[in-house]
Amino acid sequence: ISYKLDNSKLSATKLDTLLTCKRKFYFKYICKLEEPKNILTFSNATFGLKIHEILEKVFKEDKRFDDAKVLVRKIKKNLEENYLNEIEEFNWEIWIETLKKFAQNEVFRYKDGYRLYDTEVWLEQKFAGFKICGKLDRIDIKDEKLQVIDYKSGNIDKLLRQKPENMTNFQLEFYYLLANNIKEVNEVSYYNLKDGKLYHESNLEEKIEKLKSTLNSLREPITTFELCEKQSNCIYCPYKKLCLREI
């Protein structure tokens, strides 16, 4: 098997998968094996996606956020209309309380001059000879400059600790490059929904240079799809049974 990465669109998730585990990349993007689903258990990934959908709907309905209680009510109303099962219903109740901090920060940002520019926007462009792409959770604007925001409902410590030389996840770098074609991007940030705080990407220029060098190293066809060395990467991998690494 020979696979050329620059022959198809490249998302940050696809690149991260390749850099983390070539075998997982093979199963997911070449064999196109669907990940197993269990509707009877609570999935953080599925839950996170649902929160993204609900926030998109709320923000598109009303772009004025000057009252935290009103925003929480709107989120709650949408949550109540989108329960998937009893297990998720319990978790929604927990998240309603958690999202109060997020709502308070939204009011602060609105009063500080930030306005919603767009949500869930799909963008594509050429970079370093590759067709990079991505769906941006949200773009805000202030003083004609953009802030690109990526919602996170899980633990973001690992992302915040990333050093350029060890990076595999270039999500914010992708988003910066994509959004910068619209208007000048001032900041790219993770929005931690658990604490309602924004965490801005640092060393952006250095990390973009690392992304460029990483892509340059992947121009040749990929012909081997070996297992990753770190078995800690396998804990939540949907393909671990196929690799005999079920732990």
Side-chain angles (χ1 to χ4, degrees), residues 12 15 125 127 132-133 136 148 150 159 162-164 167-180 185 187-190 200-212 215:
L15 179 60
Q125 75 164 69
F127 176 73
I132 68 170
C133 62
L136 285 60
V148 181
D150 184 54
L159 293 171
Q162 280 194 125
K163 295 182 179 179
M167 285 182 71
T168 63
N169 187 311
F170 292 94
Q171 191 171 39
L172 292 186
E173 285 63 39
F174 268 58
Y175 291 175
Y176 172 84
L177 293 166
L178 291 167
N180 216 44
V185 176
E187 289 178 326
V188 284
S189 314
Y190 291 117
H200 309 306
E201 181 69 295
S202 58
N203 303 319
L204 188 60
E205 290 185 6
E206 186 180 355
K207 290 176 179 178
I208 288 175
E209 284 303 311
K210 175 61 178 176
L211 171 59
K212 187 182 292 185
L215 292 177

Short mmCIF file of all heavy atoms in Angstrom, two decimals, residues 12 15 125 127 132-133 136 148 150 159 162-164 167-180 185 187-190 200-212 215:
data_model
loop_
_atom_site.label_atom_id
_atom_site.label_comp_id
_atom_site.label_asym_id
_atom_site.label_seq_id
_atom_site.Cartn_x
_atom_site.Cartn_y
_atom_site.Cartn_z
N ALA A 12 -6.72 18.95 10.67
CA ALA A 12 -5.81 18.84 11.81
C ALA A 12 -5.97 17.50 12.51
O ALA A 12 -5.00 16.91 12.98
CB ALA A 12 -6.07 19.99 12.79
N LEU A 15 -4.15 14.79 10.46
CA LEU A 15 -2.70 14.90 10.66
C LEU A 15 -2.30 14.40 12.04
O LEU A 15 -1.31 13.66 12.18
CB LEU A 15 -2.26 16.35 10.47
CG LEU A 15 -0.76 16.63 10.68
CD1 LEU A 15 0.09 15.81 9.71
CD2 LEU A 15 -0.47 18.12 10.54
N GLN A 125 -7.96 25.78 2.17
CA GLN A 125 -6.97 26.57 1.46
C GLN A 125 -5.69 25.74 1.29
O GLN A 125 -5.55 24.66 1.86
CB GLN A 125 -6.65 27.87 2.19
CG GLN A 125 -5.77 27.72 3.43
CD GLN A 125 -5.18 29.06 3.85
OE1 GLN A 125 -5.90 29.93 4.30
NE2 GLN A 125 -3.88 29.21 3.72
N PHE A 127 -1.70 25.19 1.80
CA PHE A 127 -0.61 25.58 2.69
C PHE A 127 0.51 24.55 2.56
O PHE A 127 0.28 23.35 2.71
CB PHE A 127 -1.06 25.64 4.15
CG PHE A 127 0.05 25.94 5.12
CD1 PHE A 127 0.60 27.21 5.19
CD2 PHE A 127 0.56 24.94 5.93
CE1 PHE A 127 1.64 27.49 6.08
CE2 PHE A 127 1.60 25.21 6.82
CZ PHE A 127 2.15 26.49 6.89
N ILE A 132 -5.28 22.06 3.13
CA ILE A 132 -5.72 21.98 4.52
C ILE A 132 -7.17 22.45 4.63
O ILE A 132 -7.64 23.25 3.82
CB ILE A 132 -4.81 22.80 5.47
CG1 ILE A 132 -4.93 24.30 5.21
CG2 ILE A 132 -3.36 22.35 5.34
CD1 ILE A 132 -4.25 25.15 6.27
N CYS A 133 -7.87 21.90 5.62
CA CYS A 133 -9.29 22.22 5.77
C CYS A 133 -9.68 22.08 7.24
O CYS A 133 -8.94 21.51 8.05
CB CYS A 133 -10.14 21.28 4.91
SG CYS A 133 -9.98 19.53 5.36
N LEU A 136 -14.46 25.43 11.77
CA LEU A 136 -14.16 26.26 12.93
C LEU A 136 -15.41 26.41 13.79
O LEU A 136 -16.47 26.80 13.28
CB LEU A 136 -13.65 27.63 12.49
CG LEU A 136 -12.22 27.71 11.95
CD1 LEU A 136 -12.02 26.83 10.73
CD2 LEU A 136 -11.84 29.15 11.61
N VAL A 148 -10.42 33.35 16.69
CA VAL A 148 -10.93 32.02 16.36
C VAL A 148 -10.99 31.20 17.64
O VAL A 148 -10.02 31.14 18.41
CB VAL A 148 -10.03 31.33 15.32
CG1 VAL A 148 -10.58 29.95 14.97
CG2 VAL A 148 -9.92 32.19 14.06
N ASP A 150 -12.08 27.50 19.59
CA ASP A 150 -12.38 26.07 19.50
C ASP A 150 -12.90 25.62 20.85
O ASP A 150 -12.19 25.68 21.85
CB ASP A 150 -11.11 25.28 19.13
CG ASP A 150 -11.41 23.81 18.93
OD1 ASP A 150 -12.30 23.48 18.14
OD2 ASP A 150 -10.75 22.97 19.59
N LEU A 159 -3.12 19.64 25.64
CA LEU A 159 -3.01 20.60 24.54
C LEU A 159 -2.25 21.84 24.97
O LEU A 159 -1.43 22.37 24.21
CB LEU A 159 -4.42 20.99 24.07
CG LEU A 159 -5.25 19.90 23.40
CD1 LEU A 159 -6.68 20.37 23.19
CD2 LEU A 159 -4.62 19.47 22.09
N GLN A 162 1.64 21.46 25.09
CA GLN A 162 2.36 21.12 23.86
C GLN A 162 3.53 22.08 23.60
O GLN A 162 3.36 23.29 23.61
CB GLN A 162 1.42 21.19 22.65
CG GLN A 162 0.54 19.99 22.47
CD GLN A 162 -0.09 19.99 21.09
OE1 GLN A 162 0.03 19.03 20.35
NE2 GLN A 162 -0.76 21.07 20.74
N LYS A 163 4.70 21.51 23.35
CA LYS A 163 5.84 22.31 22.92
C LYS A 163 6.01 22.11 21.41
O LYS A 163 5.75 21.02 20.90
CB LYS A 163 7.10 21.87 23.67
CG LYS A 163 7.03 22.14 25.16
CD LYS A 163 8.31 21.73 25.85
CE LYS A 163 8.25 22.03 27.35
NZ LYS A 163 9.48 21.61 28.06
N PRO A 164 6.43 23.15 20.70
CA PRO A 164 6.51 23.05 19.25
C PRO A 164 7.26 21.81 18.75
O PRO A 164 6.83 21.16 17.79
CB PRO A 164 7.25 24.33 18.85
CG PRO A 164 6.86 25.31 19.92
CD PRO A 164 6.79 24.49 21.18
N MET A 167 4.97 18.56 18.90
CA MET A 167 3.56 18.70 18.55
C MET A 167 3.08 17.63 17.57
O MET A 167 3.77 17.26 16.63
CB MET A 167 3.30 20.08 17.95
CG MET A 167 3.28 21.20 18.96
SD MET A 167 2.91 22.79 18.20
CE MET A 167 1.17 22.59 17.79
N THR A 168 1.86 17.17 17.82
CA THR A 168 1.12 16.36 16.85
C THR A 168 -0.22 17.03 16.54
O THR A 168 -0.78 16.83 15.48
CB THR A 168 0.86 14.93 17.37
OG1 THR A 168 0.03 14.99 18.54
CG2 THR A 168 2.17 14.22 17.70
N ASN A 169 -0.72 17.81 17.49
CA ASN A 169 -2.02 18.47 17.32
C ASN A 169 -1.80 19.93 16.90
O ASN A 169 -1.35 20.75 17.70
CB ASN A 169 -2.82 18.41 18.63
CG ASN A 169 -4.24 18.92 18.47
OD1 ASN A 169 -4.47 19.99 17.92
ND2 ASN A 169 -5.20 18.14 18.92
N PHE A 170 -2.15 20.22 15.65
CA PHE A 170 -1.97 21.57 15.10
C PHE A 170 -3.31 22.24 14.83
O PHE A 170 -3.45 23.03 13.90
CB PHE A 170 -1.16 21.50 13.81
CG PHE A 170 0.28 21.09 14.00
CD1 PHE A 170 0.65 19.76 13.88
CD2 PHE A 170 1.25 22.03 14.29
CE1 PHE A 170 1.97 19.38 14.03
CE2 PHE A 170 2.57 21.66 14.45
CZ PHE A 170 2.94 20.31 14.32
N GLN A 171 -4.31 21.91 15.63
CA GLN A 171 -5.67 22.38 15.35
C GLN A 171 -5.76 23.90 15.29
O GLN A 171 -6.31 24.46 14.33
CB GLN A 171 -6.62 21.84 16.41
CG GLN A 171 -8.09 22.04 16.07
CD GLN A 171 -9.00 21.30 17.02
OE1 GLN A 171 -8.74 21.25 18.22
NE2 GLN A 171 -10.06 20.72 16.50
N LEU A 172 -5.25 24.59 16.29
CA LEU A 172 -5.36 26.05 16.30
C LEU A 172 -4.52 26.69 15.19
O LEU A 172 -4.88 27.74 14.66
CB LEU A 172 -4.95 26.61 17.66
CG LEU A 172 -5.90 26.29 18.83
CD1 LEU A 172 -5.46 27.01 20.09
CD2 LEU A 172 -7.35 26.64 18.49
N GLU A 173 -3.41 26.04 14.85
CA GLU A 173 -2.58 26.54 13.75
C GLU A 173 -3.34 26.43 12.42
O GLU A 173 -3.30 27.35 11.60
CB GLU A 173 -1.26 25.77 13.69
CG GLU A 173 -0.27 26.14 14.77
CD GLU A 173 -0.75 25.81 16.18
OE1 GLU A 173 -1.39 24.74 16.35
OE2 GLU A 173 -0.51 26.61 17.10
N PHE A 174 -4.03 25.30 12.20
CA PHE A 174 -4.88 25.14 11.02
C PHE A 174 -5.93 26.24 10.99
O PHE A 174 -6.15 26.89 9.96
CB PHE A 174 -5.57 23.77 11.05
CG PHE A 174 -4.83 22.68 10.33
CD1 PHE A 174 -3.54 22.34 10.69
CD2 PHE A 174 -5.43 21.98 9.30
CE1 PHE A 174 -2.86 21.33 10.04
CE2 PHE A 174 -4.77 20.96 8.64
CZ PHE A 174 -3.47 20.63 9.00
N TYR A 175 -6.59 26.45 12.12
CA TYR A 175 -7.67 27.43 12.18
C TYR A 175 -7.17 28.85 11.91
O TYR A 175 -7.86 29.65 11.27
CB TYR A 175 -8.37 27.36 13.54
CG TYR A 175 -9.17 26.10 13.76
CD1 TYR A 175 -9.77 25.85 14.98
CD2 TYR A 175 -9.32 25.15 12.75
CE1 TYR A 175 -10.52 24.69 15.20
CE2 TYR A 175 -10.06 23.99 12.96
CZ TYR A 175 -10.64 23.77 14.19
OH TYR A 175 -11.38 22.63 14.40
N TYR A 176 -5.99 29.16 12.42
CA TYR A 176 -5.41 30.48 12.18
C TYR A 176 -5.17 30.69 10.69
O TYR A 176 -5.55 31.73 10.12
CB TYR A 176 -4.09 30.62 12.94
CG TYR A 176 -3.33 31.88 12.60
CD1 TYR A 176 -3.62 33.08 13.22
CD2 TYR A 176 -2.32 31.86 11.62
CE1 TYR A 176 -2.94 34.24 12.90
CE2 TYR A 176 -1.64 33.02 11.28
CZ TYR A 176 -1.94 34.19 11.93
OH TYR A 176 -1.28 35.35 11.59
N LEU A 177 -4.55 29.71 10.05
CA LEU A 177 -4.24 29.82 8.64
C LEU A 177 -5.52 29.93 7.80
O LEU A 177 -5.58 30.70 6.84
CB LEU A 177 -3.42 28.62 8.18
CG LEU A 177 -2.00 28.53 8.77
CD1 LEU A 177 -1.42 27.14 8.55
CD2 LEU A 177 -1.10 29.60 8.16
N LEU A 178 -6.53 29.16 8.16
CA LEU A 178 -7.79 29.17 7.41
C LEU A 178 -8.54 30.48 7.57
O LEU A 178 -9.02 31.07 6.60
CB LEU A 178 -8.66 27.99 7.86
CG LEU A 178 -8.15 26.60 7.49
CD1 LEU A 178 -8.91 25.52 8.27
CD2 LEU A 178 -8.26 26.35 5.99
N ALA A 179 -8.66 30.96 8.80
CA ALA A 179 -9.43 32.18 9.07
C ALA A 179 -8.71 33.43 8.61
O ALA A 179 -9.34 34.45 8.31
CB ALA A 179 -9.76 32.28 10.56
N ASN A 180 -7.40 33.38 8.54
CA ASN A 180 -6.62 34.55 8.16
C ASN A 180 -6.88 34.95 6.71
O ASN A 180 -6.53 36.05 6.29
CB ASN A 180 -5.13 34.30 8.37
CG ASN A 180 -4.41 35.55 8.86
OD1 ASN A 180 -4.89 36.24 9.74
ND2 ASN A 180 -3.26 35.83 8.28
N VAL A 185 -6.37 37.71 11.75
CA VAL A 185 -6.68 36.99 12.98
C VAL A 185 -5.79 37.51 14.09
O VAL A 185 -4.55 37.49 13.98
CB VAL A 185 -6.48 35.47 12.81
CG1 VAL A 185 -6.71 34.76 14.14
CG2 VAL A 185 -7.43 34.93 11.75
N GLU A 187 -6.21 36.45 17.51
CA GLU A 187 -5.97 35.38 18.47
C GLU A 187 -6.66 34.09 18.03
O GLU A 187 -7.70 34.14 17.37
CB GLU A 187 -6.51 35.75 19.86
CG GLU A 187 -5.74 36.82 20.58
CD GLU A 187 -6.36 37.17 21.94
OE1 GLU A 187 -7.60 37.12 22.05
OE2 GLU A 187 -5.60 37.50 22.86
N VAL A 188 -6.06 32.96 18.42
CA VAL A 188 -6.74 31.67 18.30
C VAL A 188 -6.72 31.05 19.69
O VAL A 188 -5.70 31.08 20.39
CB VAL A 188 -6.06 30.74 17.27
CG1 VAL A 188 -6.38 31.17 15.86
CG2 VAL A 188 -4.55 30.69 17.49
N SER A 189 -7.86 30.50 20.10
CA SER A 189 -8.00 30.11 21.50
C SER A 189 -8.84 28.86 21.69
O SER A 189 -9.76 28.59 20.91
CB SER A 189 -8.66 31.25 22.30
OG SER A 189 -8.09 32.50 22.01
N TYR A 190 -8.53 28.11 22.74
CA TYR A 190 -9.41 27.05 23.21
C TYR A 190 -10.37 27.68 24.22
O TYR A 190 -9.95 28.46 25.08
CB TYR A 190 -8.62 25.94 23.91
CG TYR A 190 -7.74 25.13 22.99
CD1 TYR A 190 -6.36 25.13 23.15
CD2 TYR A 190 -8.30 24.35 21.98
CE1 TYR A 190 -5.55 24.38 22.31
CE2 TYR A 190 -7.50 23.59 21.14
CZ TYR A 190 -6.13 23.61 21.31
OH TYR A 190 -5.33 22.87 20.48
N HIS A 200 -5.46 31.16 25.19
CA HIS A 200 -4.94 31.60 23.91
C HIS A 200 -3.69 30.80 23.52
O HIS A 200 -2.86 30.46 24.38
CB HIS A 200 -4.60 33.09 23.96
CG HIS A 200 -5.72 33.94 24.49
ND1 HIS A 200 -6.99 33.90 23.95
CD2 HIS A 200 -5.77 34.83 25.51
CE1 HIS A 200 -7.77 34.74 24.62
NE2 HIS A 200 -7.05 35.31 25.57
N GLU A 201 -3.58 30.51 22.24
CA GLU A 201 -2.41 29.79 21.74
C GLU A 201 -1.19 30.70 21.82
O GLU A 201 -1.24 31.88 21.45
CB GLU A 201 -2.63 29.37 20.29
CG GLU A 201 -1.48 28.59 19.66
CD GLU A 201 -1.30 27.20 20.26
OE1 GLU A 201 -0.96 27.13 21.47
OE2 GLU A 201 -1.48 26.21 19.54
N SER A 202 -0.10 30.17 22.34
CA SER A 202 1.15 30.93 22.45
C SER A 202 2.15 30.40 21.42
O SER A 202 1.99 29.31 20.88
CB SER A 202 1.73 30.81 23.86
OG SER A 202 1.96 29.45 24.18
N ASN A 203 3.19 31.18 21.16
CA ASN A 203 4.24 30.78 20.21
C ASN A 203 3.66 30.37 18.86
O ASN A 203 4.10 29.39 18.24
CB ASN A 203 5.08 29.63 20.78
CG ASN A 203 5.71 29.94 22.11
OD1 ASN A 203 6.19 31.05 22.34
ND2 ASN A 203 5.67 28.99 23.03
N LEU A 204 2.67 31.13 18.41
CA LEU A 204 1.95 30.75 17.20
C LEU A 204 2.86 30.67 15.98
O LEU A 204 2.80 29.70 15.20
CB LEU A 204 0.81 31.73 16.95
CG LEU A 204 -0.16 31.38 15.83
CD1 LEU A 204 -0.85 30.04 16.11
CD2 LEU A 204 -1.21 32.48 15.67
N GLU A 205 3.71 31.67 15.78
CA GLU A 205 4.59 31.68 14.62
C GLU A 205 5.53 30.48 14.63
O GLU A 205 5.75 29.84 13.59
CB GLU A 205 5.39 32.98 14.57
CG GLU A 205 4.55 34.21 14.24
CD GLU A 205 5.39 35.46 14.09
OE1 GLU A 205 6.65 35.36 14.12
OE2 GLU A 205 4.80 36.55 13.95
N GLU A 206 6.08 30.17 15.79
CA GLU A 206 6.99 29.03 15.92
C GLU A 206 6.25 27.73 15.61
O GLU A 206 6.80 26.82 14.96
CB GLU A 206 7.58 28.99 17.33
CG GLU A 206 8.65 27.93 17.52
CD GLU A 206 9.23 27.92 18.93
OE1 GLU A 206 8.87 28.82 19.72
OE2 GLU A 206 10.04 27.02 19.23
N LYS A 207 5.02 27.62 16.07
CA LYS A 207 4.25 26.40 15.85
C LYS A 207 3.83 26.25 14.39
O LYS A 207 3.74 25.13 13.87
CB LYS A 207 3.04 26.38 16.79
CG LYS A 207 3.44 26.16 18.24
CD LYS A 207 2.27 26.23 19.20
CE LYS A 207 2.72 25.98 20.63
NZ LYS A 207 1.62 26.06 21.61
N ILE A 208 3.58 27.36 13.72
CA ILE A 208 3.26 27.30 12.29
C ILE A 208 4.48 26.86 11.50
O ILE A 208 4.37 26.08 10.53
CB ILE A 208 2.72 28.66 11.80
CG1 ILE A 208 1.31 28.88 12.36
CG2 ILE A 208 2.69 28.71 10.26
CD1 ILE A 208 0.72 30.23 12.04
N GLU A 209 5.65 27.31 11.90
CA GLU A 209 6.89 26.86 11.25
C GLU A 209 7.09 25.36 11.47
O GLU A 209 7.53 24.64 10.57
CB GLU A 209 8.09 27.64 11.78
CG GLU A 209 8.21 29.04 11.22
CD GLU A 209 8.28 29.07 9.70
OE1 GLU A 209 9.10 28.29 9.13
OE2 GLU A 209 7.53 29.84 9.09
N LYS A 210 6.74 24.89 12.67
CA LYS A 210 6.83 23.45 12.95
C LYS A 210 5.84 22.68 12.08
O LYS A 210 6.16 21.60 11.57
CB LYS A 210 6.55 23.20 14.44
CG LYS A 210 6.50 21.72 14.83
CD LYS A 210 7.81 21.01 14.57
CE LYS A 210 7.74 19.56 15.01
NZ LYS A 210 8.96 18.80 14.71
N LEU A 211 4.65 23.21 11.91
CA LEU A 211 3.66 22.59 11.04
C LEU A 211 4.19 22.50 9.62
O LEU A 211 4.05 21.45 8.95
CB LEU A 211 2.36 23.40 11.07
CG LEU A 211 1.28 23.00 10.05
CD1 LEU A 211 0.86 21.55 10.22
CD2 LEU A 211 0.08 23.93 10.15
N LYS A 212 4.80 23.57 9.13
CA LYS A 212 5.33 23.59 7.78
C LYS A 212 6.42 22.53 7.60
O LYS A 212 6.42 21.78 6.62
CB LYS A 212 5.90 24.97 7.46
CG LYS A 212 6.33 25.14 6.00
CD LYS A 212 6.92 26.52 5.76
CE LYS A 212 5.88 27.60 5.89
NZ LYS A 212 6.41 28.95 5.54
N LEU A 215 4.84 19.01 7.57
CA LEU A 215 4.21 18.70 6.28
C LEU A 215 5.26 18.43 5.21
O LEU A 215 5.09 17.53 4.38
CB LEU A 215 3.29 19.85 5.86
CG LEU A 215 2.04 20.05 6.72
CD1 LEU A 215 1.25 21.26 6.23
CD2 LEU A 215 1.16 18.82 6.72
#
